[in-house]
Amino acid sequence: MSSASFEGIKISGMACAVPKDVIYTEYYKKYFGDSEVEKFIKTSGVKTRYITDQKQTASDLCYVAAKKVMEHNGYTGDDIDACVFITQMPDYAMPATAFVLHKRLGLKENCVVFDINLGCSAFPNGISILASMIKSGLINKGLLLIGDSQSYRFKKEEEMIHDNMLFGDSGSACIIENTDKNNGEDCSSVINSIIKSDGNGFDTIITPYPTLNGRLTYKKSDSFFSYMNGIDVFLFAITKVPKLFKEFYKKFNYSSDDFDYFIFHQANVMILNQLEKRLKLPEEKVPRSIERYGNTDGASIPMTIVDLCERENVSDKVKFAAAAFGIGLNWAIISFEMDKKDILPVIYTDDYYEDGYLEDILEEIKGKKKKKNNENDI
Amino acid sequence: MTEKEKISLMEEIMDLDEGTLTLDSVLDDIDEWDSVAILSYITEVLDKFGKTVKGSEVKKFVTVKDAIEIMQ
């Protein structure tokens, strides 16, 4: 069993941050030619995306989003009982980057802190995990941070591959909390989810070498390319996701009419078109952010929600069904309701964590290395 | 679906004029047999024949004959 119904728990705040630097897909025409790039735009849907510079990482984006959402909810570090960071691009090999965020956000000692290594399907997994922690009584309010900065693939401009045009960097922050104790308000709030996995596809999307876009390893590894079996990912998405919806509707007694919007992981428009068609969903109920922000990986569901609320006039209370699929392989679905006022506009930032560059520690490590080498000489 | 209809379907997938392809047409020699056509082929085989074709299988196709063999 990997499904659950979490009653009395709600997502009480959501924010997303992207880097300030925008890249137009058309820029790549000088590398790949007009027709190739136009075809890419048509099939992927990506027209622009935002890219971190040399010093900014996924955790920096999540930090800015988290600050904003905590401020919006009127929370300080003392109010947050858990800080969970889902990324494939941690700042360091160890410790978990969630501890860096714990420090930067000024969170308290009584706090559960860890990273999860998951990609595109991060959002439904993360919300379910935090909701479970709330239900168990371990925590009352949790911060779910999801971010990736895929632009590590920029090794040399002339070696750019198509994936460079697909992925955009972003960081999201959501606050999940128990509503039971909030003066009886919002007690009807319920989050439903189903999570599925298939390790047989572990090599369908894979980056064989570790620590790619860490704070100090950026552009420094020769072996940081990723592999994706596009055909199998496509087939996986268009077959598993509709089946998952069928199971979800049946299990929780839903129909497509129960939701205002269906939010899908923004893989590419070919997959989105297929899902829309196979699930018989009207286009206006399936918002897309891929055109403006690219495939933003695990953060693509919050990114699409934030983008939707910024562009469209949504109602004060919005019901979402969100499905994501990707690396693992993992696919999951979650439904929830949010107040429009708790969904904040997209933040554009070039903020980064200067102290994270650890100058003193690196000097010390270098000194030790030198000493060790000298000892070996003797 | 007859063999002729299957070849027509391949032409449709690749957006080619009718009569362009034969059973022996080599896929690698056809510019239109690109990633978009392959994904379109995957969905057609899934929808019309209820079968799933893996990426590794598609890579082994040499001719149109290989691609339509699964269409049953």
Side-chain angles (χ1 to χ4, degrees), chain A residues 256-274:
Chain A
S256 61
D257 296 335
D258 291 317
F259 302 103
D260 300 315
Y261 294 100
F262 295 83
I263 315 291
F264 292 107
H265 164 56
Q266 304 286 295
N268 61 50
V269 291
M270 291 187 73
I271 290 179
L272 292 171
N273 290 345
Q274 281 290 325

Side-chain angles (χ1 to χ4, degrees), chain A residues 114-173:
Chain A
F114 58 92
D115 279 7
I116 297 175
N117 180 341
L118 201 57
C120 315
S121 56
F123 183 80
N125 279 272
I127 298 286
S128 304
I129 289 164
L130 278 159
S132 308
M133 285 158 68
I134 294 171
K135 271 287 161 200
S136 73
L138 182 66
I139 65 165
N140 200 35
K141 290 185 183 74
L143 198 50
L144 174 66
L145 309 168
I146 305 170
D148 269 311
S149 49
Q150 297 266 21
S151 50
Y152 71 89
R153 286 190 173 91
F154 283 98
K155 191 181 176 190
K156 288 177 191 159
E157 285 208 328
E158 63 271 24
E159 288 180 17
M160 285 188 301
I161 52 168
H162 270 125
D163 285 356
N164 290 105
M165 300 196 282
L166 183 65
F167 292 103
D169 299 340
S170 78
S172 68

Side-chain angles (χ1 to χ4, degrees), chain A residues 82-115:
Chain A
C83 172
V84 178
F85 182 41
I86 309 187
T87 191
Q88 294 172 116
M89 309 288 155
D91 282 359
Y92 312 109
M94 353 177 201
T97 307
F99 290 99
V100 181
L101 289 158
H102 179 267
K103 175 190 170 164
R104 293 185 73 192
L105 292 165
L107 306 185
K108 62 186 174 186
E109 246 181 57
N110 290 333
C111 191
V112 183
V113 176
F114 58 92
D115 279 7

Side-chain angles (χ1 to χ4, degrees), chain A residues 39 43 227 229-232 234-235 238-239 268 270 274 277-278, chain B residues 34 36 38-40 42-43 46-47 52-56 58-59:
Chain A
K39 194 166 135 190
T43 54
Y227 166 81
N229 182 330
I231 296 174
D232 287 359
F234 178 80
L235 190 61
I238 69 165
T239 54
N268 61 50
M270 291 187 73
Q274 281 290 325
K277 187 179 129 193
R278 282 164 199 276
Chain B
D34 58 8
V36 179
I38 291 171
L39 298 186
S40 166
I42 301 277
T43 51
L46 180 67
D47 291 343
T52 54
V53 191
K54 296 209 106 194
S56 54
V58 175
K59 276 183 195 137

